[in-house]
């Protein structure tokens, strides 16, 4: 009887997500599809204003895709919203509360909550707010807030306000950078890096910029922490360091098909040094003013 009730509750929860439109590939007026991940089994889950391409093998997202309309953003709080599993996906294919319980790991939003909360009506924005709290939109991150985290979270808003054309629309792709050196905790790989690729129109043309945030701990002090297979203790993660990077480096590190955005990368060194090795041209950012772009930001 209990099993039947659980199944019915799950089915009802799945029906509540029916009709979600997800990420709109035509949002900018130029088609910008969700990057594919060739050769890896994935499942696409649509939400309000964003979609999540889940990796079944990692139990985490391969990439999230967000359409952000700066003219329609609303300031809603998060009080009372609980993290929950997506009933459309088996529990063993997503990372739930077990990984985050009794440790210093945070449920890090991949699609930034404040960036998804917009709409023509308050009800639309409220639904988007709640949709960002599915575990499919989370990844284990350092719980301690720091300046690097603040910069990482604010990049898309800064670009939307200063770089995007007057429509103030921007598309953001975000996800983990999986590596063989990621620590394994409670059966889940803990990514030490995450990427963000922002796409927008500048002077009527498609433009893109790429970023990586690194939460690798100080390896000199913790030489053993990156050994895969550690399961007893949550890995101590380092403070976030944010880098502007060529989009082609993100493609190389993740396996995602980012050819369209590699071609419109507005980081000057990406064009100047097309054969540079991955990480060789990364630029550490301490503030948004450190961005290196081949156009002037609007005041």
């Amino acid at each position: 009887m209990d099993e039947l009730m659980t199944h019915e509750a799950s089915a009802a929860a799945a029906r509540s997500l029916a009709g979600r439109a997800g990420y709109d590939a035509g949002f900018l007026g130029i088609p910008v599809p969700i990057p594919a991940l060739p050769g890896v089994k994935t499942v696409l889950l649509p939400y309000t204003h964003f979609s999540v391409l889940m990796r079944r093998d990692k139990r985490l997202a391969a990439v999230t895709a967000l359409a952000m309309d700066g003219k329609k953003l609303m300031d809603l709080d998060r009080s009372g919203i609980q993290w929950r599993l997506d009933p459309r996906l088996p529990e063993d294919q997503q990372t739930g509360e077990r990984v985050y319980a009794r440790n210093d790991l945070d449920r890090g939003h991949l699609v930034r909550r404040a960036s998804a909360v917009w709409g023509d009506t308050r009800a639309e924005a409220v639904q988007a707010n709640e949709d960002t709290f599915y575990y499919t939109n989370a990844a284990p991150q350092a719980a301690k807030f720091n300046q690097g985290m603040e910069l990482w979270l604010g990049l898309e808003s800064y670009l939307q306000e200063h770089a995007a054309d007057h429509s103030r629309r921007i598309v953001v792709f975000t996800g983990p950078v999986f590596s063989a050196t990621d620590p394994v905790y409670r059966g889940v790989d803990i990514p030490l890096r995450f990427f963000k690729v922002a796409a927008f129109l500048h002077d009527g043309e498609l433009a893109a910029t790429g970023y990586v945030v690194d939460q690798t701990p100080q390896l000199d002090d913790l030489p053993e922490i990156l050994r895969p297979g550690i399961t007893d203790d949550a890995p101590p993660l380092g403070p976030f360091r944010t880098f502007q990077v060529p989009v082609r480096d993100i493609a190389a590190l993740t396996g995602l098909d980012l050819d369209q955005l590699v071609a419109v990368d507005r980081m000057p060194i990406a064009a100047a040094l097309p054969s540079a090795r991955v990480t060789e041209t990364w630029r550490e950012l301490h503030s948004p003013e450190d961005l290196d772009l081949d156009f002037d930001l609007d005041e």
Side-chain angles (χ1 to χ4, degrees):
M1 184 66 176
D2 289 343
E3 184 176 344
L4 177 60
M5 292 178 64
T6 300
H7 176 75
E8 289 177 348
S10 179
R15 286 195 297 271
S16 73
L17 286 167
R20 293 293 197 273
Y23 167 73
D24 177 6
F27 186 70
L28 296 179
I30 297 173
V32 182
I34 299 173
L37 186 60
V40 177
K41 290 184 178 180
T42 57
V43 58
L44 185 64
L45 301 171
Y47 298 94
T48 306
H49 306 148
F50 69 97
S51 295
V52 176
L53 186 69
M54 284 291 292
R55 282 191 62 157
R56 296 175 183 269
D57 59 336
K58 297 293 188 180
R59 298 168 57 197
L60 293 168
V63 61
T64 62
L66 166 70
M68 174 182 175
D69 190 332
K71 289 186 175 181
K72 299 179 181 179
L73 287 171
M74 297 188 192
D75 185 13
L76 303 180
D77 65 36
R78 58 183 292 170
S79 61
I81 305 176
Q82 301 295 317
W83 284 95
R84 53 207 182 278
L85 296 169
D86 189 313
R88 300 171 296 183
L89 194 66
E91 288 189 21
D92 61 1
Q93 293 180 18
Q94 49 190 314
T95 296
E97 183 59 25
R98 180 178 177 273
V99 173
Y100 301 100
R102 301 180 304 280
N103 55 42
D104 289 330
L105 295 179
D106 194 15
R107 306 162 190 81
H109 277 82
L110 295 175
V111 169
R112 183 186 175 211
R113 186 188 70 84
S115 297
V117 181
W118 60 269
D120 292 317
T121 65
R122 181 179 176 84
E124 181 183 350
V126 167
Q127 182 172 278
N129 194 20
E130 294 176 351
D131 280 3
T132 64
F133 283 89
Y134 282 98
Y135 277 112
T136 48
N137 184 42
Q141 294 181 349
K144 185 177 180 180
F145 194 85
N146 57 70
Q147 186 176 3
M149 170 77 85
E150 186 174 12
L151 173 62
W152 173 251
L153 292 176
L155 274 172
E156 57 209 57
S157 292
Y158 184 83
L159 288 168
Q160 179 231 28
E161 292 171 6
H162 296 275
D165 283 349
H166 297 298
S167 66
R168 294 188 64 189
R169 289 188 165 200
I170 189 169
V171 161
V172 184
F173 299 117
T174 307
V177 176
F178 294 107
S179 166
T181 60
D182 290 339
V184 179
Y185 175 61
R186 295 178 180 173
V188 175
D189 292 8
I190 308 298
L192 297 177
R193 289 174 173 174
F194 296 85
F195 72 87
K196 190 191 302 283
V197 178
F200 49 91
L201 296 185
H202 183 75
D203 291 339
E205 296 184 352
L206 185 63
T209 53
Y211 309 91
V212 166
V213 67
D214 191 327
Q215 58 176 352
T216 303
Q218 297 298 317
L219 302 187
D220 291 341
D221 300 329
L222 297 162
E224 80 286 354
I225 195 56
L226 294 188
R227 187 176 69 248
I230 296 175
T231 56
D232 294 335
D233 300 309
L237 302 176
F240 276 28
R241 293 180 299 151
T242 301
F243 300 85
Q244 183 181 0
V245 309
V247 178
R248 65 168 179 260
D249 283 14
I250 296 173
L253 288 169
T254 63
L256 289 166
D257 180 0
L258 292 166
D259 288 353
Q260 179 190 27
L261 301 180
V262 169
V264 296
D265 192 347
R266 303 303 291 266
M267 186 179 187
I269 202 166
L273 298 174
S275 59
R277 291 176 296 177
V278 173
T279 75
E280 196 171 59
T281 58
W282 290 20
R283 176 185 179 92
E284 187 167 3
L285 304 178
H286 300 282
S287 74
E289 288 72 24
D290 292 335
L291 287 171
D292 188 19
L293 302 169
D294 63 0
F295 58 86
D296 293 328
L297 293 170
D298 297 330
E299 297 299 332

